[in-house]
């Protein structure tokens, strides 16, 4: 399914070397990539960094994209891999999972407290649950699309969503009290 | 909590619909990375070319031999340094972007 409109012309121009065309792709898909990355990462700043890395990777690999109309799902799959690579690197550096919960709001205009509460709750989910919840619940992707982006079996995605939703609900209600 | 409540809570992490700084960050990082990559490729090519000149010195004359013998060790070291520099660059690039 195409998301964000038809990108074929922009992708063709970007492949031909147009920076302007790639910039337009960043404009079109930047929010989706950042939203997904922010829900996967330790904090919004790390999420934005992952999203930028994903765009840079996509820029150099545009030639590998076989279905230009699926640019967004291809990009989100890159975000997912970058987020997981980042987490593995953090693990190698010996950071503890608890550090994930030390969230600091960074963007002006963001409701800092609400963002911290959401990020803290997400931090308590597994990364697969976060990915599935971010795509299907917050991003409006179907389970099948999420399974392709996350490279997981459909049944696993459904299970991650069900468990993640229940856990997230519990955690957010706990924070309200 | 309903799905709408959860979506509302997760919405607190949303990025703005359009952010010129984010786009500028991607483009700047892309341009820097491309420049560094081109410099490194140039260094690698020199590292291959100059020792080749040294070996073919007799055919190219004394100047070719001297040039090759003088520069080859430096450029071989350059290849190693290039690899390290690339890793350092990627690390610093993230910091620069955030600082910006």
């Amino acid at each position: 399914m195409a998301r964000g409109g038809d990108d074929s012309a922009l992708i063709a121009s970007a492949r031909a070397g147009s920076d302007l065309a790639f910039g337009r792709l960043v404009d079109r898909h930047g929010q989706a990539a950042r939203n997904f990355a922010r829900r996967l990462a330790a904090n919004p700043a790390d999420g934005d960094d992952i999203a930028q890395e994903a765009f840079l990777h996509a820029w150099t690999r545009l030639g590998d994209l076989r279905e230009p109309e699926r640019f967004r799902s291809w990009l989100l799959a890159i975000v997912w891999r970058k987020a997981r690579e980042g987490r593995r690197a953090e693990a190698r550096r010996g950071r503890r999972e608890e550090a994930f919960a030390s969230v600091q709001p960074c963007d002006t205009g963001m409701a800092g407290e609400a963002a911290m509460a959401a990020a803290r709750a997400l931090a308590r989910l597994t990364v697969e649950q976060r990915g599935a919840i971010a795509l299907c619940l917050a991003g409006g992707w179907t389970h099948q699309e999420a399974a392709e982006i996350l490279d997981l079996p459909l049944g696993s995605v459904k299970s991650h969503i069900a468990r993640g939703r229940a856990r997230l609900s519990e955690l957010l209600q706990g924070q309200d009290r | 909590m309903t799905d709408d409540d959860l979506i509302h809570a997760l919405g607190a992490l949303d990025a703005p619909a359009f952010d010129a700084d984010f786009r500028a960050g991607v483009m700047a990082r892309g341009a820097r990375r491309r420049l560094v990559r081109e410099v490194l490729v140039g260094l690698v090519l020199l590292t291959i070319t100059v020792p080749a000149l040294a070996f073919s010195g007799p055919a190219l004359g004394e100047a070719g031999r001297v040039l090759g013998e003088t520069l080859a060790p430096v450029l071989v070291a350059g290849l190693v340094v290039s690899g390290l520099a690339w890793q350092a660059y990627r690390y610093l690039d993230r910091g620069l972007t955030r600082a910006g």
Side-chain angles (χ1 to χ4, degrees):
Chain A
M1 178 179 166
R3 300 263 181 159
D6 184 8
D7 299 312
S8 302
L10 287 176
I11 289 168
S13 299
R15 278 174 172 163
S18 168
D19 289 359
L20 189 64
F22 192 79
R24 294 281 304 280
L25 288 170
V26 175
D27 289 342
R28 277 191 185 184
H29 301 282
Q31 187 187 32
R34 292 171 79 188
N35 286 351
F36 184 42
R38 284 171 171 218
R39 290 172 182 126
L40 294 173
N43 58 52
D46 283 349
D48 287 352
D49 190 52
I50 289 167
Q52 284 200 348
E53 279 291 331
F55 272 113
L56 292 175
H57 185 92
W59 203 350
T60 56
R61 297 284 198 285
L62 269 181
D64 297 345
L65 177 61
R66 280 169 291 182
E67 299 173 81
E69 67 277 10
R70 299 186 66 187
F71 177 79
R72 184 171 290 184
S73 59
W74 179 70
L75 177 68
L76 294 188
I78 297 172
V79 169
W80 171 245
R81 288 198 299 273
K82 291 281 173 193
R84 299 202 73 179
E85 280 170 17
R87 288 177 57 76
R88 280 196 289 269
E90 280 182 15
R92 279 198 297 274
R93 285 196 296 269
R95 289 189 194 170
R96 295 176 59 82
E97 177 68 18
E98 282 75 11
F100 191 81
S102 60
V103 177
Q104 296 175 352
C106 67
D107 281 2
T108 53
M110 179 185 288
E113 194 58 42
M116 285 174 73
R120 278 203 193 99
L122 280 169
R124 306 291 293 274
L125 307 184
T126 67
V127 68
E128 289 84 5
Q129 287 172 350
R130 280 203 297 278
I133 289 280
L135 288 173
C136 296
L137 205 59
W141 295 82
T142 66
H143 292 177
Q144 182 61 48
E145 288 169 335
E148 288 169 15
I149 290 169
L150 302 176
D151 195 22
L152 291 172
L154 180 59
S156 299
V157 169
K158 288 179 179 174
S159 163
H160 288 312
I161 289 170
R163 288 181 188 165
R165 181 193 278 129
R167 181 81 174 123
L168 194 59
S169 179
E170 183 186 308
L171 289 163
L172 288 170
Q173 281 177 326
Q175 287 178 358
D176 286 345
R177 282 187 213 123
Chain B
M1 282 182 118
T2 65
D3 279 358
D4 282 346
D5 293 333
L6 290 175
I7 290 167
H8 179 73
L10 293 174
L13 286 167
D14 277 355
F18 176 77
D19 185 345
D21 289 342
F22 179 79
R23 174 191 170 149
V26 173
M27 304 312 282
R29 279 174 87 163
R32 283 200 300 266
R33 198 162 287 190
R34 207 157 41 198
L35 176 68
V36 170
R37 188 174 290 132
E38 282 165 8
V39 168
L40 293 180
V41 167
L43 269 174
V44 169
L45 287 176
L46 275 174
T47 305
I48 294 165
T49 305
V50 174
L53 269 179
F55 284 116
S56 57
L60 293 173
E62 184 62 13
R65 188 187 65 77
V66 170
L67 180 72
E69 282 182 0
T70 308
L71 292 182
V74 176
L75 289 169
V76 169
L79 185 62
V80 175
V81 172
S82 300
L84 295 172
W86 174 246
Q87 291 303 322
Y89 163 74
R90 290 196 63 177
Y91 182 78
L92 288 173
D93 182 45
R94 298 179 117 193
L96 280 173
T97 306
R98 285 192 179 187

